[in-house]
Amino acid sequence: MSKAAELANLIGNINAGGGGVNRNVIINGAMNVAQRGTSTTGLGADADTIPTCDRWYHSAQSTAGRFTMTQDSSAPSGFANSLKLACTTADTSIAAGEVLLLRQKLEGQNVQMFAKGTADAKPYALSFYVKGNASATYVAELMDNDNSNRHVNKTFSVTTDWTRVELSLPADTTGALDDDFANSLDLNIWLHAGSNRTSGSLQTTWGALAQANRCVGISSFFSSTSNTFFITGVQLEVGQNPTEFEHKSFAQDLLDCQRYLWCVDATDDRGGSGDRSLGIGTYYNSTAVIVFVDTPVQMRSTPTLSVVLNGSSTWLQSYVGASGNDSNAGLNVGQNGPNTAHRLYFTSAHSGITAGQSSWNQVRDDAKFFMSAEL
Amino acid sequence: MKIENAQYFKDLSTGEVCSIRCIANGLHTSIPTDPDNTDYQEVLKQVKEGTLTIKDAD
């Protein structure tokens, strides 16, 4: 994009109510944060989960196709990472209900600037960079989850070189997005779909849910085990014209992601391998410890707790003074609500302790402790 | 989400049910009974569909 065109786009978007800093409503658009891990194999079974890069769900239904997802270092100039999908099992007999897509779910309170459902509704400027192993056509979609799944769709092309995709999606004066912390708007990147979603006419203006109009003209990512798909630099902003990607520091990207997932990662050996601090606690009785954890940002809801052992035999190390105990303590989250301060209960964390004794608690080497409040 | 061995847990300080301890997609997990938590929404869906039962708290 020339500087003159870039400036014209920016001015145009400012006039339309967008532009400026923090204009990108997509979180982790440069794929720099991957708290869960950088590679997951065998994906494709029915699921709606985030395997690698934070905030980027994959949704699969009814397909025999399988793929590996990685945070990859292949990226266009100015980027360090991309999200890569590599097909490992092809599916060339596509049943009507098959689905594969990438999705970012957006909180209603974060997309109010589009003024959707009002007379002042703003257009959506969507841009991203993509690459594949061969030419292909996929579909980008915005879906309104607050108003019976109204949606708008546009196809885009993938080649063997990094290509910047720029899509202008119209304003929608019907159906306001709720101003809350639930999932109001989805950005969907469709990579595979059966005839249930391809047999109509592509819905290029906002309209009521019409499944057959969602993926007309789409290629199939599962057509061959040679297939790859890379994406990065995803930006959704107010305006008629996409502007250059708004880069953020890693710290800012991480903070944005930590509203939905906070992790103590004892697999990260920077600074030396070993256990990683979790928090100070106090013993409730002889075996159960209450641990207080402060997250760097307010989590979206009371978080779910989970643990991945990654080969470690236990996940928690709880010390009372110099008396440490390793265990797979039971996880329990107290009544906290959306908050930065969290009261966690770990049962069977130690033995023979006197209630009220203080403790220092760590996640054992190679394990990961997660607190998630995903949309 | 595949949820197994689900059991309610009571907040030690209030005595009220505050979470569900379970194995979710193979991971040891605690899901809070917060209606805004999407994992809890999935739990409620599976209970309503009859595919999940939750043991009472100890």
Side-chain angles (χ1 to χ4, degrees), chain B residues 12-42:
Chain B
L12 295 177
S13 57
T14 66
E16 300 292 323
V17 167
C18 62
S19 61
I20 297 162
R21 186 189 290 182
C22 61
I23 306 294
N25 292 334
L27 302 181
H28 290 282
T29 300
S30 173
I31 299 172
T33 53
D34 175 350
D36 294 317
N37 179 293
T38 51
D39 294 321
Y40 184 56
Q41 292 169 9
E42 174 66 19

Side-chain angles (χ1 to χ4, degrees), chain A residues 114-234:
Chain A
F114 292 102
K116 189 176 180 300
T118 74
D120 297 324
K122 314 291 186 191
Y124 302 75
L126 174 64
S127 56
F128 47 86
Y129 295 82
V130 288
K131 186 178 80 166
N133 63 302
S135 296
T137 300
Y138 297 123
V139 173
E141 175 184 64
L142 293 179
M143 174 167 274
D144 171 354
N145 290 301
D146 291 334
N147 297 281
S148 305
N149 301 117
R150 291 175 61 79
H151 61 105
V152 60
N153 305 59
K154 288 279 181 78
T155 58
F156 63 91
S157 298
V158 175
T159 70
T160 55
D161 295 320
W162 279 107
T163 303
R164 177 174 161 87
V165 174
E166 297 185 350
L167 301 174
S168 296
L169 301 162
D172 187 15
T173 56
T174 300
L177 299 172
D178 297 341
D179 182 20
D180 61 14
F181 51 90
N183 177 206
S184 284
L185 188 68
D186 287 345
L187 168 62
N188 295 327
I189 305 293
W190 287 87
L191 302 175
H192 172 90
S195 60
N196 285 354
R197 293 174 177 83
T198 62
S199 57
S201 301
L202 193 69
Q203 191 158 311
T204 56
T205 57
W206 285 94
L209 176 62
Q211 293 286 7
N213 296 346
R214 299 178 73 183
C215 296
V216 182
I218 194 173
S219 304
S220 170
F221 173 75
F222 288 131
S223 66
S224 164
T225 54
S226 299
N227 287 353
T228 57
F229 175 75
F230 298 76
I231 185 168
T232 192
V234 186

Side-chain angles (χ1 to χ4, degrees), chain A residues 130-370:
Chain A
V130 288
K131 186 178 80 166
N133 63 302
S135 296
T137 300
Y138 297 123
V139 173
E141 175 184 64
L142 293 179
M143 174 167 274
D144 171 354
N145 290 301
D146 291 334
N147 297 281
S148 305
N149 301 117
R150 291 175 61 79
H151 61 105
V152 60
N153 305 59
K154 288 279 181 78
T155 58
F156 63 91
S157 298
V158 175
T159 70
T160 55
D161 295 320
W162 279 107
T163 303
R164 177 174 161 87
V165 174
E166 297 185 350
L167 301 174
S168 296
L169 301 162
D172 187 15
T173 56
T174 300
L177 299 172
D178 297 341
D179 182 20
D180 61 14
F181 51 90
N183 177 206
S184 284
L185 188 68
D186 287 345
L187 168 62
N188 295 327
I189 305 293
W190 287 87
L191 302 175
H192 172 90
S195 60
N196 285 354
R197 293 174 177 83
T198 62
S199 57
S201 301
L202 193 69
Q203 191 158 311
T204 56
T205 57
W206 285 94
L209 176 62
Q211 293 286 7
N213 296 346
R214 299 178 73 183
C215 296
V216 182
I218 194 173
S219 304
S220 170
F221 173 75
F222 288 131
S223 66
S224 164
T225 54
S226 299
N227 287 353
T228 57
F229 175 75
F230 298 76
I231 185 168
T232 192
V234 186
Q235 180 157 288
L236 180 65
E237 58 191 309
V238 169
Q240 296 281 359
N241 305 297
T243 62
E244 285 296 299
F245 182 78
E246 181 184 16
H247 289 278
K248 296 179 181 175
S249 69
F250 178 82
Q252 184 61 58
D253 273 337
L254 181 61
L255 270 178
D256 289 346
C257 293
Q258 285 174 329
R259 174 165 171 77
Y260 309 94
L261 181 74
W262 183 80
C263 172
V264 176
D265 181 3
T267 68
D268 187 340
D269 290 339
R270 287 176 295 177
S273 64
D275 307 324
R276 291 291 182 263
S277 296
L278 175 60
I280 295 295
T282 183
Y283 268 80
Y284 182 80
N285 56 31
S286 63
T287 59
V289 64
I290 300 174
V291 175
F292 300 92
V293 169
D294 288 312
T295 50
V297 293
Q298 184 186 66
M299 299 201 77
R300 192 194 62 81
S301 68
T302 311
T304 296
L305 311 184
S306 61
V307 167
V308 178
L309 291 174
N310 286 319
S312 179
S313 59
T314 53
W315 76 268
L316 180 68
Q317 186 173 57
S318 183
Y319 270 86
V320 176
S323 170
N325 186 61
D326 299 339
S327 70
N328 281 313
L331 299 166
N332 295 288
V333 57
Q335 292 169 328
N336 293 291
N339 205 339
T340 57
H342 307 270
R343 189 176 75 242
L344 315 178
Y345 298 104
F346 301 136
T347 54
S348 303
H350 215 310
S351 60
I353 304 299
T354 301
Q357 284 190 281
S358 65
S359 66
W360 47 287
N361 302 278
Q362 305 188 103
V363 175
R364 295 220 48 220
D365 189 20
D366 290 336
K368 280 187 167 185
F369 174 82
F370 294 103

Side-chain angles (χ1 to χ4, degrees), chain B residues 39-54:
Chain B
D39 294 321
Y40 184 56
Q41 292 169 9
E42 174 66 19
V43 166
L44 294 178
K45 177 171 169 277
Q46 292 189 21
V47 168
K48 187 175 181 181
E49 291 170 348
T51 57
L52 176 66
T53 55
I54 306 172

